[in-house]
């Protein structure tokens, strides 16, 4: 009788565990790529540890999405290697047509961070209990924006211009006020100016977050600053809004607030942001250690003061404004003493091919490096253009993924002779 009682209790305990485990907490994962923010995964949190060796891609089905990998972890994070734990990670294909939250192809429109899935096959816990398949649809109650969540949002009220500027700031995770850190200023294009959310500066492309990724920070620990502009700050007619001065004043403020290496300030931007970088360079040629200018242009008649600056330029030869515009600028810089190295690349290069191409240009030891992306190799093959401008917009989906250019940027310092 006692044995029967114990057996019943054991069965009840297992049953309770199975029922509880059938209701995991569901969190959607988003990541930012060159063409914007996408939903790329799901984290399922169970009340007990799961045996990862018995999970397969067929264990789950995610509505209208392609599963790339399924594994377990003992922390709520994506990982390269599976560890038994109460977290099941489902990685989804970012190339899925409906993966986009906010992307280049749908600028100005946000999609919901929602995911739906079902458990198709058995799940085994590390205690050898079984979570049975279920037709119940699971949806996420939360979401995580990888890397984006590591930035903080602030407002700067400029006492000099009287203007207010929202900005995103990445502070190194192991920040030590007794050390000096470089700072990267990223300025976005004019596309997101109609949107008020400060975080848009981080998700419209990867020009900011690429510098804050764990891999990049492991090599180049740095602050990353990404202001959010709600109007055009500069335009093709040479107009300059006072918020450009506010941005420079924000830099001064941050230099006083944190331990920032003033010999290693870097600026970069795409389109409007690149134009802002140009203006800052010829107005204050001694401010930045180096600049990365992407798909931009300016009046070549005023850029002479930046002829000695360290600059890397990337444009598409199919960009009807930026390509001739940067040709004119580099000609002016050369006439005023700049040494220019040129490189002609394909936008379809692999990371290894880009690294090799950058190294070839670096051999010339020029202070201005001008790399062009061949027309017809910039716009992804699966993109159907609905309007002109693809050669312009898709330049920066490539430019910020070139690791060796980022390495070049961080290697520059004003203290170097």
């Amino acid at each position: 009788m006692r044995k029967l009682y114990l057996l019943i209790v054991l069965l009840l305990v297992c049953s309770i565990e199975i029922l509880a485990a059938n209701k995991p907490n569901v969190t959607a994962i988003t990541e930012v790529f060159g063409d914007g923010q996408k939903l790329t995964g799901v984290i399922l949190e169970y009340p007990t540890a799961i045996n990862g060796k018995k999970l397969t891609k067929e264990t789950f089905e995610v509505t209208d999405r392609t599963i790339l990998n399924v594994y377990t972890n003992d922390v709520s994070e994506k990982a390269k290697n599976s560890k038994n734990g109460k977290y099941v990670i489902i990685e989804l294909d970012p190339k899925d047509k409906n993966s986009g939250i906010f992307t280049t192809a749908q600028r100005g429109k946000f999609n919901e961070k929602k995911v739906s899935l079902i458990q198709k096959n058995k799940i085994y816990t590390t205690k050898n209990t079984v979570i049975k398949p279920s037709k119940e649809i699971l949806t996420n109650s939360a979401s995580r924006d990888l890397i984006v969540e590591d930035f903080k949002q602030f407002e700067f009220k400029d006492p000099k211009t009287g203007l207010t500027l929202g900005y995103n700031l990445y502070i190194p995770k192991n920040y030590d006020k007794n050390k000096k850190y470089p700072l990267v200023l990223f300025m976005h294009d004019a596309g997101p100016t109609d949107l008020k959310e400060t975080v848009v500066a981080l998700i419209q492309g990867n020009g900011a977050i690429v510098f804050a990724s764990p891999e990049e920070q492991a090599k180049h620990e740095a602050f990353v600053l990404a202001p959010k502009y709600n109007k055009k700050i500069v335009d093709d007619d040479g107009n300059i809004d006072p918020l450009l001065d506010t941005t420079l004043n924000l830099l001064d403020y941050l230099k006083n607030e944190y331990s920032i290496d003033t010999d290693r300030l870097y600026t970069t931007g795409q389109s409007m942001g690149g134009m802002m970088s140009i203006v800052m360079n010829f107005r204050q040629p001694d401010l930045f250690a180096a600049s990365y200018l992407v798909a931009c242009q300016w009046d070549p008649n005023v850029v002479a003061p930046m002829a000695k600056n360290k600059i890397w330029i990337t444009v598409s030869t199919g960009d009807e404004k930026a390509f001739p515009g940067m040709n004119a600028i580099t000609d002016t810089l050369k006439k005023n003493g700049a040494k220019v190295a040129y490189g002609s690349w394909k936008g379809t290069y692999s990371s290894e091919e880009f690294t090799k191409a950058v190294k070839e240009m670096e051999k010339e030891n020029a202070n201005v490096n001008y790399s062009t992306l061949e027309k017809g190799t910039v716009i992804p093959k699966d993109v159907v253009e609905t309007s002109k401008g693809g050669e312009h917009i898709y330049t920066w989906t490539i430019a910020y993924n070139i690791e060796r250019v980022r390495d070049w940027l961080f290697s520059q310092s004003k203290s170097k002779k």
Side-chain angles (χ1 to χ4, degrees), residues 238 240 278-279 281-283 298-307 329 332-333 336:
I240 303 172
I278 293 173
V279 174
N281 265 277
F282 69 71
R283 280 189 173 183
W298 197 257
D299 180 359
N301 297 311
V302 297
V303 300
M306 56 190 273
I329 283 179
T332 297
L333 298 180
N336 286 274

Side-chain angles (χ1 to χ4, degrees), residues 258-303:
Y258 299 97
S259 184
I260 292 171
D261 187 350
T262 55
D263 281 338
R264 298 187 66 202
L265 296 178
Y266 308 110
T267 183
T268 184
Q270 59 205 30
S271 194
M272 180 186 80
M275 293 162 72
M276 292 177 68
S277 290
I278 293 173
V279 174
M280 291 176 179
N281 265 277
F282 69 71
R283 280 189 173 183
Q284 297 189 35
D286 296 324
L287 179 59
F288 297 106
S291 304
Y292 188 25
L293 310 177
V294 179
C296 55
Q297 75 283 332
W298 197 257
D299 180 359
N301 297 311
V302 297
V303 300

Side-chain angles (χ1 to χ4, degrees), residues 35 104 348 376-385 390 394-395 397-398:
D35 57 349
T104 300
T348 53
T377 69
V378 175
I379 304 172
K381 291 182 179 180
D382 60 346
V383 171
V384 178
E385 281 198 276
Y394 283 97
T395 297
T397 69
I398 298 168

Side-chain angles (χ1 to χ4, degrees), residues 106-149:
Q106 59 187 49
R107 294 169 75 82
K109 177 186 175 184
F110 289 92
N111 287 333
E112 276 192 295
K113 300 172 186 176
K114 283 294 181 184
V115 63
S116 300
L117 66 152
I118 60 170
Q119 178 192 331
K120 293 173 60 181
N121 297 322
K122 293 179 180 179
I123 294 175
Y124 295 86
T125 74
T126 55
K127 296 178 181 179
N128 291 320
T129 56
V130 176
I131 304 172
K132 294 180 180 180
S134 172
K135 293 183 180 180
E136 181 180 0
I137 297 175
L138 303 173
T139 59
N140 62 300
S141 57
S143 64
R144 286 188 57 194
D145 303 318
L146 301 188
I147 304 179
V148 171
E149 66 190 11

